[in-house]
């Protein structure tokens, strides 16, 4: 696995952005430029993540147009209020596409509670079973809902996938690792939160992943601006310092972990 050193990638990093929302309106009309900038910066693969059924269709379409893109299809907890059985059927039918590697973004968000908790819990449970039936990993969103999310996952007994954009409590991280889940860190790892850095040190090396969650959570020194996959090297470099690796070692480690999590061999 070789990446040529360039002005945009002076360290020759090999990067996998394991969570990006290229269908977001902030990327409208410029996805091609974003993908090309990412490639020049060493990003060899990206996971484009759906937030509802129409968004998931758009994510699939992007994987047909650009090399190095994979996708996850699912209904985000913020979209759960309108979740219906027909949505689960639509997602299942989409999964005949070979570039779909996960069900996501699914989970619980009790921080904003844009969708009512019962609706979130129902959508989460149905999509866990969808992932199980298709033998696909899950991309799991948990915010201020660690205990309830654990209960639901334990009720279903399916633990294949990743906790994305992790910023939760230590107990949740410990539980996730015990169950065999991966844990992914985003640009907020660069914001100077020592608690989050300490959590990153507790994750076994073979369970660590990185992401941008673009267009959100741009890493320092771009905090507050629109994020994009080309900036993921900044998060990898920060993670490398936290766990005692070189940036190149951390990039290869997290690339391989993402491929293992999503069962990507091509």
């Amino acid at each position: 696995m070789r990446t040529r050193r360039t002005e945009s990638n002076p360290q020759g990093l090999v990067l996998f952005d394991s969570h990006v929302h290229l269908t977001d309106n902030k990327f409208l009309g410029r996805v091609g430029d974003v993908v090309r900038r990412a490639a020049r910066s060493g990003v060899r693969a990206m996971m484009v993540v759906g937030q509802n059924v129409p968004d998931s269709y758009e994510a699939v379409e992007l994987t047909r147009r650009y090399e190095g893109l994979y996708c996850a299809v699912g209904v985000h907890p913020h979209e759960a209020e309108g979740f219906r059985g027909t949505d689960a059927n639509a997602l299942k039918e989409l999964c005949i596409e070979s570039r779909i590697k996960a069900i996501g973004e699914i989970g619980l968000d009790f921080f904003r509670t844009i969708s009512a908790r019962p609706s979130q819990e129902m959508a989460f449970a149905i999509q866990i079973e969808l992932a199980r039936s298709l033998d696909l990993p899950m991309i799991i969103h948990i915010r201020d809902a660690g205990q309830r999310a654990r209960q639901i996952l334990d009720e279903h007994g399916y633990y294949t996938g990743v906790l994305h954009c992790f910023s939760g409590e230590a107990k949740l991280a410990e539980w996730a690792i015990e169950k065999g889940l991966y844990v992914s860190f985003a640009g907020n790892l660069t914001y100077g939160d020592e608690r989050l850095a300490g959590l990153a040190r507790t994750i076994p090396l073979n369970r660590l992943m990185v992401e941008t969650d673009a267009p959100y959570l741009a890493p320092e020194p771009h905090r507050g601006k629109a994020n994009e996959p080309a900036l993921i090297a900044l998060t990898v470099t920060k993670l490398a310092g936290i766990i005692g690796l070189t940036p190149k070692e951390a990039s290869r480690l997290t690339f391989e972990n993402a491929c293992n999590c999503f069962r990507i061999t091509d």
Side-chain angles (χ1 to χ4, degrees):
M1 190 192 307
R2 293 182 180 180
T3 295
R4 186 167 56 88
R5 295 174 186 267
T6 65
E7 185 177 348
S8 301
N9 184 21
Q11 299 180 88
L13 304 184
V14 179
L15 301 160
F16 195 134
D17 184 351
S18 68
H19 195 111
V20 56
H21 297 287
L22 288 182
T23 57
D24 191 277
N25 286 337
K26 291 182 180 178
F27 292 125
L28 189 63
R30 24 183 229 104
V31 171
D33 290 338
V34 169
V35 170
R36 284 187 285 273
R37 270 195 300 276
R40 289 196 296 269
S41 300
V43 179
R44 294 273 295 275
M46 292 182 237
M47 183 62 62
V48 184
V49 182
Q51 300 193 77
N52 53 47
V53 173
D55 193 56
S56 295
Y57 277 100
E58 289 184 38
V60 172
E61 182 58 32
L62 288 178
T63 68
R64 295 170 179 159
R65 292 170 54 191
Y66 300 103
E67 291 288 333
L69 267 58
Y70 303 90
C71 71
V73 298
V75 175
H76 189 286
H78 290 339
E79 304 278 345
E81 203 65 59
F83 188 88
R84 300 290 182 269
T86 53
D87 293 327
N89 291 335
L91 294 173
K92 184 175 182 178
E93 289 174 4
L94 260 181
C95 288
I96 63 171
E97 295 278 345
S98 63
R99 306 298 279 186
I100 294 175
K101 300 296 183 181
I103 300 298
E105 175 177 355
I106 66 176
L108 302 177
D109 192 316
F110 293 169
F111 177 74
R112 290 195 174 94
T113 318
I114 292 173
S115 291
R117 292 188 181 191
S119 297
Q120 292 188 44
E121 292 173 5
M122 178 192 70
F124 188 26
I126 290 173
Q127 291 180 100
I128 292 169
E129 286 304 314
L130 176 62
R132 182 209 294 274
S133 71
L134 297 171
D135 190 27
L136 285 172
M138 302 172 289
I139 296 177
I140 304 171
H141 173 116
I142 301 175
R143 191 171 187 191
D144 286 6
Q147 182 175 356
R148 184 64 182 126
R150 286 171 55 184
Q151 288 173 346
I152 292 173
L153 285 160
D154 283 339
E155 286 167 8
H156 293 268
Y158 190 66
Y159 307 102
T160 302
V162 56
L163 300 188
H164 109 90
C165 193
F166 191 80
S167 60
E169 66 274 13
K171 286 184 178 180
L172 179 59
E174 292 169 5
W175 171 88
I177 295 307
E178 177 187 331
K179 297 300 184 182
L181 290 160
Y182 290 78
V183 177
S184 179
F185 292 92
N188 53 340
L189 188 65
T190 70
Y191 296 171
D193 184 343
E194 286 304 316
R195 182 193 69 87
L196 194 56
L199 282 171
R201 292 188 191 97
T202 70
I203 308 301
L205 293 182
N206 66 347
R207 293 288 161 177
L208 275 170
M209 288 166 55
V210 288
E211 62 182 86
T212 57
D213 201 16
Y216 314 106
L217 294 175
E220 294 287 6
H222 304 278
R223 186 176 183 179
K225 301 176 183 178
N227 197 6
E228 63 176 82
L231 299 179
I232 197 169
L234 295 169
T235 301
V236 168
T237 299
K238 180 65 175 182
L239 177 65
I242 290 170
I243 62 177
L245 298 178
T246 67
K248 193 163 188 176
E249 289 169 338
S251 76
R252 290 177 179 275
L253 171 77
T254 52
F255 186 97
E256 291 170 2
N257 287 347
C259 288
N260 290 336
C261 176
F262 299 126
R263 303 167 184 167
I264 293 171
T265 57
D266 56 329

XYZ file of all heavy atoms in Angstrom, residues 15-17 19-22 27 34-35 37-39 41-43 45-46 211-215 226-234:
237
model
N -5.020 7.122 3.788
C -6.109 7.520 4.664
C -7.458 6.951 4.231
O -7.746 6.837 3.037
C -6.200 9.049 4.694
C -4.924 9.759 5.187
C -4.921 11.203 4.738
C -4.820 9.664 6.699
N -8.284 6.633 5.225
C -9.659 6.183 5.011
C -10.552 7.077 5.861
O -10.498 7.045 7.079
C -9.819 4.721 5.438
C -11.076 4.040 4.945
C -11.003 2.769 4.394
C -12.324 4.649 5.039
C -12.155 2.108 3.933
C -13.470 4.016 4.584
C -13.391 2.739 4.035
N -11.377 7.903 5.202
C -12.368 8.705 5.920
C -13.590 7.819 6.107
O -14.363 7.596 5.173
C -12.711 9.965 5.124
C -13.666 10.887 5.876
O -14.188 10.472 6.930
O -13.893 12.021 5.408
N -16.366 8.191 7.644
C -17.702 8.759 7.828
C -17.730 10.172 7.257
O -17.169 11.100 7.833
C -18.048 8.808 9.318
C -19.492 9.042 9.618
N -20.302 8.077 10.172
C -20.290 10.122 9.445
C -21.516 8.552 10.342
N -21.535 9.812 9.892
N -18.427 10.324 6.117
C -18.548 11.638 5.493
C -19.924 11.762 4.854
O -20.471 10.788 4.336
C -17.421 11.867 4.448
C -17.415 10.778 3.391
C -17.541 13.249 3.800
N -20.475 12.974 4.904
C -21.797 13.236 4.334
C -21.644 14.054 3.046
O -21.938 15.254 3.020
C -22.677 13.970 5.357
C -22.941 13.188 6.592
N -23.800 12.098 6.617
C -22.446 13.308 7.856
C -23.840 11.603 7.851
N -23.014 12.305 8.617
N -21.191 13.397 1.994
C -20.987 14.098 0.724
C -22.298 14.526 0.078
O -22.285 15.331 -0.860
C -20.207 13.214 -0.251
C -18.722 13.003 0.046
C -18.092 12.139 -1.040
C -17.976 14.335 0.163
N -21.992 20.536 0.107
C -21.140 20.014 -0.965
C -21.806 20.097 -2.334
O -21.243 19.621 -3.320
C -20.764 18.554 -0.679
C -19.857 18.377 0.509
C -20.212 17.530 1.552
C -18.650 19.040 0.579
C -19.374 17.353 2.640
C -17.800 18.881 1.664
C -18.163 18.037 2.690
N -14.145 18.092 -4.214
C -13.857 17.587 -2.861
C -13.182 16.226 -2.935
O -12.197 15.960 -2.225
C -15.159 17.519 -2.040
C -14.948 16.743 -0.740
C -15.677 18.919 -1.743
N -13.683 15.361 -3.802
C -13.103 14.019 -3.952
C -11.682 14.119 -4.501
O -10.774 13.407 -4.041
C -13.993 13.152 -4.863
C -13.295 11.849 -5.219
C -15.328 12.869 -4.178
N -9.562 16.700 -4.208
C -8.677 17.230 -3.167
C -8.331 16.150 -2.146
O -7.194 16.061 -1.671
C -9.335 18.415 -2.449
C -9.038 19.755 -3.069
C -9.387 20.899 -2.144
N -10.798 20.924 -1.787
C -11.744 21.481 -2.533
N -11.427 22.031 -3.690
N -12.998 21.479 -2.122
N -9.311 15.341 -1.808
C -9.065 14.257 -0.861
C -8.033 13.283 -1.413
O -7.109 12.873 -0.696
C -10.375 13.529 -0.548
N -8.174 12.914 -2.670
C -7.231 11.968 -3.278
C -5.811 12.527 -3.259
O -4.852 11.809 -2.968
C -7.666 11.643 -4.701
N -4.625 14.427 -1.126
C -4.178 14.487 0.273
C -3.966 13.105 0.880
O -3.722 12.997 2.080
C -5.204 15.270 1.108
O -5.338 16.585 0.624
N -4.073 12.058 0.051
C -3.786 10.709 0.528
C -5.001 9.896 0.909
O -4.869 8.760 1.372
N -6.200 10.448 0.713
C -7.418 9.700 1.052
C -7.682 8.689 -0.048
O -8.007 9.047 -1.176
C -8.622 10.645 1.226
C -9.874 9.841 1.560
C -8.344 11.667 2.330
N -9.885 6.031 0.410
C -11.247 5.502 0.495
C -12.075 6.387 1.409
O -11.553 7.027 2.334
C -11.241 4.071 1.017
N -13.388 6.428 1.126
C -14.334 7.182 1.944
C -15.610 6.380 2.103
O -16.030 5.685 1.172
C -14.703 8.511 1.282
C -13.610 9.525 1.198
S -14.284 11.043 0.432
C -13.167 11.189 -0.952
N -12.427 9.596 11.167
C -13.428 10.094 10.234
C -13.391 11.617 10.244
O -12.812 12.240 11.148
C -14.817 9.633 10.667
C -15.217 10.181 12.028
C -16.574 9.703 12.494
O -16.638 8.607 13.096
O -17.559 10.430 12.233
N -14.041 12.215 9.251
C -14.239 13.665 9.292
C -15.619 14.038 9.820
O -15.784 15.080 10.436
C -14.078 14.297 7.897
O -14.995 13.694 6.993
C -12.649 14.156 7.398
N -16.652 13.236 9.531
C -18.051 13.617 9.735
C -18.348 14.894 8.958
O -19.214 15.682 9.327
C -18.386 13.799 11.220
C -19.887 13.684 11.507
O -20.625 13.168 10.645
O -20.318 14.123 12.594
N -17.590 15.112 7.886
C -17.753 16.316 7.068
C -19.170 16.390 6.525
O -19.767 15.354 6.204
C -16.738 16.296 5.926
N -19.705 17.617 6.459
C -19.041 18.926 6.571
C -18.934 19.469 7.991
O -18.682 20.664 8.176
C -19.944 19.825 5.733
C -21.311 19.263 5.956
C -21.119 17.767 6.032
N -16.280 24.837 7.246
C -16.784 23.595 6.660
C -15.654 22.579 6.570
O -14.535 22.904 6.157
C -17.374 23.865 5.284
N -15.938 21.373 6.955
C -14.965 20.287 6.934
C -15.048 19.542 5.606
O -16.067 19.599 4.918
C -15.254 19.324 8.091
C -14.104 18.413 8.428
O -13.011 18.537 7.880
N -14.340 17.488 9.338
N -13.991 18.827 5.258
C -14.007 17.967 4.079
C -12.955 16.874 4.246
O -12.044 16.995 5.080
C -13.786 18.749 2.797
C -12.445 19.444 2.663
C -12.310 20.100 1.285
O -12.830 21.214 1.098
O -11.683 19.465 0.407
N -13.065 15.784 3.482
C -12.174 14.632 3.682
C -10.686 14.950 3.573
O -9.870 14.293 4.231
C -12.616 13.660 2.582
C -14.060 13.978 2.389
C -14.161 15.465 2.539
N -10.297 15.941 2.775
C -8.880 16.275 2.637
C -8.240 16.671 3.961
O -7.007 16.625 4.101
C -8.704 17.407 1.623
N -9.047 17.046 4.951
C -8.517 17.497 6.240
C -8.323 16.369 7.245
O -7.866 16.616 8.360
C -9.446 18.560 6.841
C -9.638 19.838 6.012
C -10.601 20.785 6.715
C -8.303 20.520 5.749
N -8.642 15.156 6.865
C -8.577 14.068 7.847
C -7.158 13.794 8.319
O -6.938 13.275 9.420
C -9.234 12.778 7.301
C -9.519 11.817 8.463
C -8.379 12.134 6.210
C -10.391 10.646 8.099
N -6.167 14.166 7.523
C -4.773 13.960 7.946
C -4.480 14.685 9.261
O -3.647 14.229 10.055
C -3.821 14.443 6.862
N -5.146 15.805 9.500
C -4.923 16.554 10.739
C -5.406 15.756 11.951
O -4.758 15.755 12.997
C -5.655 17.896 10.671
C -5.135 18.861 9.602
C -6.095 20.043 9.436
C -3.740 19.353 9.957
